[in-house]
Amino acid sequence: MIHHVQVACPAGAEDNLRAFYTGVLGWPELPKPPLLAARGGCWFQVPGRGGPDGELHVGVDADFRPAKKAHPAFVVDVDAVAAAVEAAGGSVDWADPAEIPGRRRFHAFDPVGNRLEFLEG
């Protein structure tokens, strides 16, 4: 099991990221230890079947550039997550089902432009 993955954000973007990861996806925010909290960023609990399934850490990067190709992938109820992303005004890009037979998946971007993949569990 992977404990966490990290994506980056520019300074001051935390509230927009909270609105997306907690408000849209429903992932609870985790408190950062005080020494790390001073650096900015935010952490989220990634839900899984029957309990937590790791964490997503968002760290402030002074030279931020969104990840347009590299991305974490999360196993979710893709229909529910796609509907939530679209209802919040986000774009959902469904993958060609022939690419990975038997695995429904789509890509979306967080508020700062990081690419994310969501796969059917």
Side-chain angles (χ1 to χ4, degrees):
M1 175 177 137
I2 293 174
H3 180 272
H4 71 272
V5 296
Q6 182 166 349
V7 297
C9 74
E14 291 90 346
D15 286 344
N16 287 338
L17 293 163
R18 288 180 180 102
F20 178 74
Y21 288 107
T22 298
V24 175
L25 299 183
W27 297 358
E29 184 171 357
L30 298 169
K32 290 181 69 172
L35 290 176
L36 296 178
R39 299 178 188 171
C42 37
W43 293 358
F44 302 95
Q45 182 69 63
V46 179
R49 293 182 195 169
D53 196 26
E55 300 174 6
L56 174 68
H57 294 185
V58 182
V60 172
D61 186 342
D63 188 31
F64 173 72
R65 289 180 181 84
K68 298 293 186 183
K69 178 73 174 170
H71 61 276
F74 304 100
V75 177
V76 299
D77 175 339
V78 293
D79 292 317
V81 172
V85 169
E86 289 176 327
S91 178
V92 170
D93 182 21
W94 288 96
D96 181 343
E99 292 175 341
I100 304 176
R103 184 63 74 115
R104 291 181 64 227
R105 62 197 181 96
F106 70 88
H107 292 95
F109 292 90
D110 74 9
V112 297
N114 290 310
R115 184 178 192 216
L116 307 169
E117 183 173 351
F118 299 95
L119 302 98
E120 185 67 51

